[in-house]
Each structure stands twice: as C-alpha cells, then as structure tokens.
Amino acid sequence: PCHTAPGGKPFAGGFSFVTPFGALFGQNITPDKATGIGRWTDAQFWAALHDGVIPGKSLLVFPNYMYPAMPYTSYAKLSRPDVMAIKAYLDAIPAVHQPDVKDQLDFPFNIRAGLLTWRMLFFSHAPIKYAKTWTPSVRRGAYLVEALGHCSDCHSPRNLMLAVKSGET
C-alpha cells in the first residue's frame, strides 16, 4: 500500500505520508524504465533495501539517502536471496509510466544529506538477534516479523526524531 495511491495503479507511487516535517510520497516501483525502477541494477536495488540509498547523488558527495518512512531499517535484516526475490517480483509486474510526486518537506528536512546524522543515531545493519532456545519455526517467525513484515515500523511508538523505539509497544 505504501507505493499505491488511493485509486491509483498498483506500485505506481503517489501514496502520501504526512509527517511533522512535511509530506513524503511513495515512489513508483514498477519496472518502467523512465519513471520507475526498471533501470536499477541488482546492486542498486540491494543498496536501496539493505542500505537505504537510492541511485544518484544528494548534496555534495553524500549518497542519496532514503527517508526512514521507507522501512529500510528493517529490510537491512533481509537475506540477499530474499531481496533479489522481491526485485524479481517487481520486475515481473506491469510497468506504469507515472512520474513520482515530489516530496514536500520543510527546510532543513528536505536536504537528504542531513539524514546522515539520523542514520548515525538510529540505523544499524545488525542482524536479528535470535535466542539460543528458539526453535527453527520461532526463528523463521522472527525473521518474517522483524525483516519482511517489519511490523514494528507501524506498530511501535516513535521518538522525537521518528525512529522506532525498540522494545516498546
């Protein structure tokens, strides 16, 4: 739903996320080569989901960091085969030629390079921590909830900087 506007074509973007800092819009993730992700390489797709970095440059030499409304903080826990399976699925859906809606964030939140500080404070590539006593099915469930389902992204409180407050419900 994050990449489909109400009444819009699936995955073509336009869904609005209103935050205290302004509005963000879900992007076109169809395989359209002009307006979607159809030209992204496997490495670029991996960097987006695992590292929260999309192709292109931001201000100066900073990478083009994604805003944490995109749950890359959870997707960083995904295995490479699962990320590539997501890409294969998206590559197989119908391409939709629909330009992205430009984010409408207030200054200074509209400067992606400023996300470096947020990332230093709240982003980690740390894998899911499994208890030694967990069975394989419990481990699989934790992976589904924490990485693929990223349930905590919507069902956990957030701090003043909109980072998930870990361990709180």
Side-chain angles (χ1 to χ4, degrees):
C2 298
H3 293 277
T4 304
K9 294 191 178 183
F11 305 107
F15 184 84
S16 174
F17 298 86
V18 178
T19 75
F21 312 113
L24 295 164
F25 294 88
Q27 304 299 295
N28 182 347
I29 57 170
T30 72
D32 184 71
K33 293 189 184 306
T35 63
I37 61 170
R39 291 184 186 209
W40 287 20
T41 65
D42 288 355
Q44 289 170 324
F45 191 80
W46 169 260
L49 267 65
H50 191 259
D51 301 317
V53 175
I54 54 177
K57 290 285 181 204
S58 182
L59 186 65
L60 303 173
V61 296
F62 289 96
N64 205 4
Y65 296 127
M66 292 176 133
Y67 289 97
M70 167 62 183
Y72 69 85
T73 55
S74 293
Y75 288 159
K77 296 170 177 55
L78 289 174
S79 69
R80 189 170 197 86
D82 283 345
V83 170
M84 292 301 104
I86 292 168
K87 184 176 187 304
Y89 171 75
L90 292 173
D91 285 346
I93 65 173
V96 177
H97 185 82
Q98 180 170 303
D100 290 327
V101 178
K102 185 170 173 44
D103 294 328
Q104 299 167 359
L105 295 171
D106 300 328
F107 179 81
F109 307 106
N110 61 341
I111 300 173
R112 287 183 186 258
L115 291 168
L116 177 61
T117 302
W118 190 94
R119 293 170 61 89
M120 289 171 34
L121 292 170
F122 305 113
F123 179 53
S124 169
H125 284 99
I128 297 169
K129 294 179 183 173
Y130 299 115
K132 291 181 181 185
T133 58
W134 288 357
T135 65
S137 61
V138 171
R139 287 174 182 250
R140 179 70 177 156
Y143 177 75
L144 293 173
V145 168
E146 294 296 324
L148 284 169
H150 54 274
C151 301
S152 63
D153 285 319
C154 293
H155 295 282
S156 293
R158 301 220 171 220
N159 67 20
L160 187 61
M161 298 286 293
L162 298 183
V164 171
K165 290 183 177 180
S166 298
E168 293 186 31
T169 56

